[in-house]
Amino acid sequence: MGDGARLWLVEAAAAGTSRMRAKMAEAVTLAGLHGTDIVDRALGAAATAGRFADGDLAAILTHLATAKAQRWAHRLSPRPESPTRAGPAPRSGAPSLLRRSPTSEIRSLLSRAPPKT
């Protein structure tokens, strides 16, 4: 797979993990279902965290997939406008130009214009 798998093998062997072949076979099966990149990342995370027990890889993979879905949902969700994003609120003594919408201000200016002859 990649560097994550390599790191997992080295760390798992150093930790004396049992059933390494069966766990790597599970990783290959998961890679066929979810993609090699995310499983390789999960293996790297498992190795870094020292997580070599049965089910650890699946749990980390689920976490990564859920976190990715949450990031996408957050990016796609509409964000409410806040006063700081829209600019400061006009003061009560501010000129009328700041208190009106641009459309109403244009209408007001056009109504004051001298008529064409």
Side-chain angles (χ1 to χ4, degrees), residues 3 6 11 17 26 28 30 40 43 56-57 59 66 68 70 75 78-79 90-92 96 100 113 116-117:
D3 292 335
R6 188 175 304 112
E11 294 296 322
T17 303
E26 178 189 11
V28 170
L30 289 170
D40 194 52
L43 284 167
D56 282 350
L57 180 60
T66 303
K68 184 177 181 180
Q70 287 174 346
R75 287 180 187 165
R79 295 186 179 136
R91 298 182 314 251
S92 61
S96 64
R100 293 190 206 178
K116 291 184 180 180
T117 55

Side-chain angles (χ1 to χ4, degrees), residues 16-37:
T17 303
S18 62
R19 302 182 52 243
M20 285 178 52
R21 283 188 185 193
K23 291 174 184 173
M24 281 308 287
E26 178 189 11
V28 170
T29 302
L30 289 170
L33 295 171
H34 301 285
T36 332
D37 291 338

